[in-house]
Amino acid sequence: MTLESTNKVIVIGAGIFGISTTIALAKRYPGLEIHVLDRFEPPVPDGSSVDTTRCIRVDYTSEIYSELASESLAKIKKDPVISKFFHETGMSYTYDGKHDKWEDFYLTGKSFAEKANKGNPGKIVCLDSTEEVFRSIHGKEGAVPSTSDMGRETWWNKGYRNMSNGFIDAGLAMKAYYERANSYPNVTFTFCEVEKLNYYPGTKKFKSVVLQNGEEIPADLVVIAAGAWSGKLVNLQNICKMSAVEVGWLKLTPEEQESWKDMSITTNLSTGINLFPPYNGEMKVLRRSPGYKNTVSVANPDPEAHDSIEISYPRTRVTNPSDWIPKDAEIAIRENLKEILPSLYKRPFNRTRLCWLTQTPSANFLIDHHPHSQNVLLATGGSAHAWKFVPVIGDKVVDFMEGNLAPHLVELWSWKEKLGDKADNGSAPRMVGEPQEISKVIRTSGNEDLCI
Ligand SMILES: Cc1cc2nc3c(=O)[nH]c(=O)nc-3n(C[C@H](O)[C@H](O)[C@H](O)COP(=O)(O)OP(=O)(O)OC[C@H]3O[C@@H](n4cnc5c(N)ncnc54)[C@H](O)[C@@H]3O)c2cc1C
């Protein structure tokens, strides 16, 4: 089907994939009716696209993503509304200094960062020792941790800082992108959960969506941009794995905010920890752990199927407000803080969250028709690194719909690319291991003495 012969498109999901696609469609096709459906009005409280911060970086292990990220970053900096939410704090990539795969990530990321900053070499700063990493956060203050202080090897030993990266307030920015999408006369938003997709009887052709309130809305084409919730709407046949990683926020004193105000986002590739600079009186810490899954049984969403399938489906602070990150997550975060931010390692978390991601085997996005249905388009598979592409990804989705997407991107983001044993391309590297079942490890409170 072509967009010229399409009267109405439904977009399910108002995260970065859905909103960006909506804006691109609305701009190019003013006569097209676009109906966006989400469970909540953006910024969606438990959406993966909504958080206090998201990194906007160009350091990738792939030239394709690095160039796309540079284009996005330039657009964010130029955008008079969105640029207000971007903070150019820089980003440091550190690791334990061992000669393993994390060193390869560090070296490749650094070489792309140098390339992206060709005219401005001062933007890349080397951190060649434990002392230089520590002082990139603390300035000249504080005793640098040693192996004997820690009772183990130190983990934050080497790295580099790319000063042209930074973070964006992902809540405020999503609100602004939503308002932009909503300002197009051909765009309508409805806030109600989609229960299921309907197909024309005896076919695999999409006909309409059914909302939780029973309303049925027909359209010519549906875009599934429902992030980690997508597996209930279409059968993703395991090519996207939904899991969540742990995030915590620590309250800071005004003196602490002042003393760490010049730190970059500091990530440790070897331990998976990301530390964000002080923002609104807090420091955010997350860990790119193997994560947590929530296995549930749902009706098989394939057209004309009558069985059920097991999927991992988001359990969030909306559905389970008293959830608190598991003990192993808290221990790992605190053990890192003990070394890199010693004054914070016993500080109680102000709040915690499990943040859901939609991981493809290769960490390449999924922008393709569902193999069953030409009028069901998938725009998902963010794989923990898609936020930064908001200014460009919607155009790529519409290019795909038009048949104009560059062939190498069609292939990269295809369903077919996700089949088989594809290695993770390292766009958002995570710790090795299998996700744990949330119901077995979740807590309702934390901050007890963990004897670290
Ligand atoms: C912890 C963490 C850290 C990350 N850090 C970064 C980073 O630093 N930089 C970066 O670039 N990327 C980062 N990412 C990745 C990025 O945030 C995600 O790839 C991106 O936000 C995914 O967007 P989405 O549109 O697919 O999903 P979402 O934002 O989750 O949007 C999906 C939407 O669909 C709606 N929905 C679902 N089901 C239904 C239904 N049945 N009916 C109606 N609506 C429905 C949901 O309410 C939701 O709003 C990170 C991700 C995580 C988890």
Side-chain angles (χ1 to χ4, degrees):
M1 83 178 305
T2 63
L3 278 169
E4 275 70 30
S5 62
T6 304
N7 294 315
K8 179 163 180 174
V9 174
I10 285 177
V11 177
I12 307 178
I16 66 109
F17 278 101
I19 292 274
S20 183
T21 301
T22 300
I23 293 174
L25 269 177
K27 252 195 228 166
R28 285 194 218 179
Y29 295 91
L32 180 70
E33 193 186 339
I34 305 154
H35 197 157
V36 188
L37 305 166
D38 201 298
R39 296 150 58 238
F40 298 104
E41 182 170 14
V44 176
D46 57 354
S48 305
S49 303
V50 177
D51 205 338
T52 48
T53 58
R54 282 285 178 266
C55 307
I56 309 295
R57 60 173 163 105
V58 301
D59 311 52
Y60 264 90
T61 52
S62 133
E63 190 150 12
I64 295 174
Y65 286 109
S66 181
E67 282 176 4
L68 217 51
S70 295
E71 188 186 334
S72 263
L73 176 57
K75 287 192 170 170
I76 286 171
K77 285 184 180 173
K78 250 203 230 144
D79 187 315
V81 177
I82 303 299
S83 57
K84 286 188 282 195
F85 311 125
F86 176 67
H87 303 265
E88 197 175 64
T89 55
M91 185 158 180
S92 300
Y93 295 83
T94 72
Y95 70 113
D96 57 14
K98 294 191 177 135
H99 305 303
D100 57 16
K101 70 169 186 175
W102 303 118
E103 183 163 76
D104 298 339
F105 281 121
Y106 152 84
L107 289 170
T108 323
K110 185 164 174 246
S111 83
F112 279 124
E114 282 163 349
K115 195 170 155 209
N117 287 290
K118 222 173 11 207
N120 214 343
K123 291 272 187 190
I124 307 293
V125 180
C126 290
L127 307 170
D128 283 331
S129 63
T130 316
E131 195 166 85
E132 283 181 19
V133 172
F134 191 81
R135 299 220 154 119
S136 71
I137 295 177
H138 299 276
K140 293 262 173 276
E141 299 302 313
V144 178
S146 64
T147 300
S148 58
D149 299 332
M150 298 305 303
R152 57 162 169 79
E153 289 179 338
T154 53
W155 295 335
W156 299 70
N157 296 335
K158 192 173 160 85
Y160 73 93
R161 204 168 173 180
N162 180 350
M163 295 308 298
S164 60
N165 293 333
F167 73 83
I168 197 156
D169 184 319
L172 293 178
M174 282 314 289
K175 183 169 186 292
Y177 278 121
Y178 156 60
E179 285 163 357
R180 185 170 295 174
N182 208 11
S183 71
Y184 287 89
N186 55 334
V187 174
T188 312
F189 278 84
T190 298
F191 304 115
C192 185
E193 184 163 336
V194 175
E195 190 60 39
K196 62 171 186 162
L197 272 55
N198 264 344
Y199 295 84
Y200 286 98
T203 76
K204 289 173 176 165
K205 188 174 176 197
F206 162 77
K207 180 178 171 230
S208 59
V209 297
V210 180
L211 303 189
Q212 224 166 38
N213 62 14
E215 191 186 342
E216 186 174 345
I217 308 175
D220 305 306
L221 173 71
V222 64
V223 178
I224 309 292
W229 290 263
S230 301
K232 198 174 163 187
L233 297 170
V234 282
N235 190 344
L236 288 172
Q237 297 169 14
N238 238 358
I239 66 164
C240 291
K241 293 227 164 43
M242 319 310 190
S243 59
V245 297
E246 57 271 39
V247 191
W249 287 262
L250 300 151
K251 272 226 179 304
L252 302 180
T253 64
E255 295 72 33
E256 287 167 338
Q257 289 176 66
E258 178 58 26
S259 76
W260 295 320
K261 73 176 180 345
D262 295 327
M263 73 178 271
S264 293
I265 305 158
T266 304
T267 190
N268 186 316
L269 294 163
S270 310
T271 65
I273 296 287
N274 266 25
L275 307 167
F276 285 81
Y279 185 57
N280 292 337
E282 293 177 320
M283 181 172 290
K284 171 177 150 181
V285 186
L286 73 81
R287 188 169 73 121
R288 290 187 182 271
S289 68
Y292 304 91
K293 62 183 176 184
N294 181 42
T295 307
V296 297
S297 178
V298 296
N300 184 344
D302 276 339
E304 303 194 314
H306 298 290
D307 57 339
S308 54
I309 54 170
E310 282 204 337
I311 58 171
S312 172
Y313 193 71
R315 164 176 167 148
T316 72
R317 58 188 171 186
V318 168
T319 52
N320 296 71
S322 59
D323 277 1
W324 194 271
I325 57 169
K327 191 170 177 177
D328 67 313
E330 187 167 339
I331 290 175
I333 291 175
R334 293 198 183 284
E335 187 62 40
N336 274 271
L337 290 176
K338 188 175 178 181
E339 178 177 337
I340 196 71
L341 283 159
S343 58
L344 290 185
Y345 93 92
K346 287 202 164 171
R347 175 96 30 108
F349 284 114
N350 191 28
R351 60 207 152 89
T352 68
R353 173 185 180 187
L354 287 177
C355 187
W356 282 83
L357 50 98
T358 311
Q359 184 75 33
T360 67
S362 56
N364 292 320
F365 308 145
L366 176 58
I367 300 174
D368 202 350
H369 300 289
H370 192 280
H372 287 334
S373 309
Q374 278 298 302
N375 63 345
V376 176
L377 190 100
L378 310 168
T380 185
S383 306
H385 70 109
W387 203 103
K388 65 187 72 60
F389 300 105
V390 194
V392 297
I393 201 72
D395 277 307
K396 302 295 181 202
V397 175
V398 180
D399 287 348
F400 177 83
M401 291 176 183
E402 292 172 338
N404 292 329
L405 185 63
H408 69 286
L409 294 180
V410 172
E411 157 62 23
L412 195 73
W413 296 333
S414 66
W415 176 285
K416 202 165 135 227
E417 191 268 347
K418 316 289 173 295
L419 303 174
D421 269 344
K422 286 272 159 27
D424 187 320
N425 69 16
S427 290
R430 286 169 75 186
M431 316 300 304
V432 179
E434 283 302 308
Q436 301 176 65
E437 198 62 58
I438 289 184
S439 58
K440 297 208 171 117
V441 289
I442 201 76
R443 297 177 297 165
T444 50
S445 64
N447 292 326
E448 74 261 39
D449 187 357
L450 294 168
C451 303
I452 294 168

